[in-house]
Amino acid sequence: MIDISVIIPMYNEEEGLKKLFSRLMPCLEKVTSNYEIICANDGSRDNTLAALKAYSKSDSRIKIINFSRNFGKEVAMTAGLDYASGRAVIPIDADLQDPPELIPELVKKWQEGYKVVLATRRGRNSDTWLKRKSATWFYNLINKVSDVRIPSNTGDFRLMDASVVNAVRQLPERTRFMKGIFAWVGFSTTTIYFDREARAAGQTSWNYWKLWKFALDGIFSFTSVPLRVWTYIGGGISLISFLWALKIIIKTVVLGVDVPGYASLMVALLFMGGMQLLSVGIIGEYVGRIYSETKHRPLYFVEETVGF
C-alpha cells in the first residue's frame, strides 16, 4: 500500500505547476518516497492537462484524473478520494496558499495516533474586510444551526487516515460540501495552525456569487433549521395578526371608531407577501436538493486517467 496520497483539484493551474511540484515533492520526500500525487483536472481550459502529462511521464508518482468537463472543486476532491490508495490522504490546493511544508508536521500528528489532522489558519489578514466578515458570519451561523461543528478558518487542507477516507466514500450525496462531510464522519482529530500565503500564480476562480452559493450548500446540507424556523415565524405573525384584528374589532364595534385601513392593509399585504415568498424560496432550496438527489446521476465522468 502507498503511504501517502496527495489530492490536488486543478482548474487552469498551468502557470503554477512548476512551483507547486518543486515545493511539494521535497516535502513528501522528507516523510516517505512511497507516495502518489493525484491531480484531478476539472475541465481546465488552458494547457494544464498537457503539462501534467509531461510531469507524469517524468515521475510516475504523479497521476492524473481528467474529467470530461468541469464538475467543480468539491467533486474533483471526491474523485481524488475515490482513486486514492494511501494509508493517509492529504487534500491540498494547487495555488500553494496551503504550504506543503506543513506535511511532515501533519504526518507526525497522524503517527501519534490521530485519524484527522486539521490545518487551520491563524487569521484572515490577507483577505478583504468583506471576505473576513462574511467568513466569520458564515461559521458563526452554521455552527449555531447545525448539529455538526465545522471548524472555523479550516479549508480542505488536512490529513485523513484511510479509515476516515473509507467513511467519506460512503456518503453519496450530490451536494458536496466537503468541509461538512469531513466534519460529519468524526474520528479523533487534532489541529495545527499556520499563516496562509498569497496565491503563487494564476487567478482564483472563486467570486462572491460562488462563495454565496457555496455557503448556501453548507447551510442547507447540514441543517433543517431554516425550515423549522418558519413554524415559529408563522406562529408569531398569526398571534400579532390576531391581536391586531382584536384591536380593530374593539375600536369599531365597542367604541364606534371608524378605522381607515388602506395604508395599514397595504403594508400588511406587502409584508405577508414578502414573508410567503421568502419561505417558499427556502422550501424550494430543499426541494431542489431533493430533486438532485433522486436523479441518482453520477457525480462525475472521467475522460481518461494517467498513472493508475
Side-chain angles (χ1 to χ4, degrees):
M1 181 179 285
I2 290 173
D3 291 331
I4 297 176
S5 297
V6 177
I7 299 171
I8 313 177
M10 292 192 172
Y11 180 72
N12 296 342
E13 302 291 350
E14 175 190 7
E15 294 179 24
L17 290 181
K18 182 178 180 181
K19 191 175 294 185
L20 169 66
F21 291 126
S22 66
R23 283 182 60 183
L24 175 61
M25 298 180 79
C27 295
L28 290 168
E29 291 287 349
K30 291 180 181 179
V31 179
T32 179
S33 60
N34 185 24
Y35 64 83
E36 63 179 359
I37 301 174
I38 301 175
C39 303
N41 182 43
D42 187 24
S44 296
R45 298 182 179 180
D46 60 1
N47 291 319
T48 297
L49 179 60
L52 286 174
K53 287 182 176 179
Y55 280 107
S56 179
K57 189 174 182 180
S58 63
D59 193 326
S60 61
R61 292 174 297 186
I62 298 175
K63 304 176 181 181
I64 306 168
I65 306 169
N66 184 44
F67 284 174
S68 61
R69 65 169 178 84
N70 179 266
F71 287 94
K73 179 186 175 183
E74 307 294 284
V75 175
M77 194 182 311
T78 301
L81 294 173
D82 290 342
Y83 279 77
S85 57
R87 295 190 298 117
V89 177
I90 303 174
I92 190 171
D93 289 342
D95 56 17
L96 290 174
Q97 286 189 290
D98 300 327
E101 289 77 14
L102 285 178
I103 288 177
E105 190 173 349
L106 294 174
V107 172
K108 182 179 178 181
K109 291 291 184 182
W110 171 58
Q111 291 172 340
E112 291 175 5
Y114 293 101
K115 298 294 186 182
V116 179
V117 186
L118 304 177
T120 298
R121 298 170 63 174
R122 287 193 179 93
R124 289 181 169 266
N125 296 330
S126 60
D127 292 342
T128 63
W129 178 88
L130 179 59
K131 198 169 183 180
R132 289 198 304 270
K133 286 295 183 182
S134 59
T136 300
W137 295 335
F138 168 72
Y139 283 113
N140 288 341
L141 175 61
I142 196 167
N143 284 324
K144 284 181 180 178
V145 300
S146 175
D147 296 330
V148 178
R149 185 185 179 280
I150 297 176
S152 301
N153 297 325
T154 304
D156 302 315
F157 186 35
R158 65 190 67 204
L159 181 146
M160 295 177 288
D161 185 81
S163 58
V164 180
V165 174
N166 288 333
V168 171
R169 287 172 180 158
Q170 297 178 50
L171 305 182
E173 56 256 44
R174 270 62 184 168
T175 302
R176 307 293 293 180
F177 183 68
M178 298 305 292
K179 294 181 182 66
I181 290 174
F182 291 152
W184 190 88
V185 297
F187 292 88
S188 57
T189 303
T190 190
T191 303
I192 63 174
Y193 296 90
F194 72 100
D195 296 312
R196 204 171 197 213
E197 303 176 13
R199 187 179 176 90
Q203 298 293 325
T204 179
S205 60
W206 290 92
N207 53 40
Y208 283 109
W209 175 244
K210 287 184 178 180
L211 289 172
W212 168 251
K213 293 197 295 182
F214 186 63
L216 289 182
D217 284 341
I219 292 170
F220 291 125
S221 296
F222 284 89
T223 179
S224 59
V225 168
L227 285 174
R228 293 200 303 268
V229 74
W230 284 101
T231 302
Y232 304 109
I233 292 175
I237 292 175
S238 297
L239 178 61
I240 293 171
S241 301
F242 173 77
L243 296 175
W244 185 257
L246 189 61
K247 177 183 176 182
I248 292 174
I249 291 171
I250 292 172
K251 277 191 173 184
T252 305
V253 177
V254 178
L255 302 179
V257 177
D258 183 22
V259 181
Y262 178 76
S264 59
L265 181 63
M266 288 301 297
V267 169
L269 287 174
L270 291 174
F271 174 74
M272 290 302 301
M275 296 294 284
Q276 288 169 353
L277 289 174
L278 182 59
S279 63
V280 169
I282 289 177
I283 294 171
E285 288 286 344
Y286 283 99
V287 171
R289 283 161 174 76
I290 293 170
Y291 174 64
S292 177
E293 294 293 329
T294 56
K295 287 188 288 187
H296 297 295
R297 288 179 178 173
L299 286 174
Y300 57 86
F301 283 108
V302 175
E303 185 170 333
E304 63 175 320
T305 60
V306 178
F308 291 97

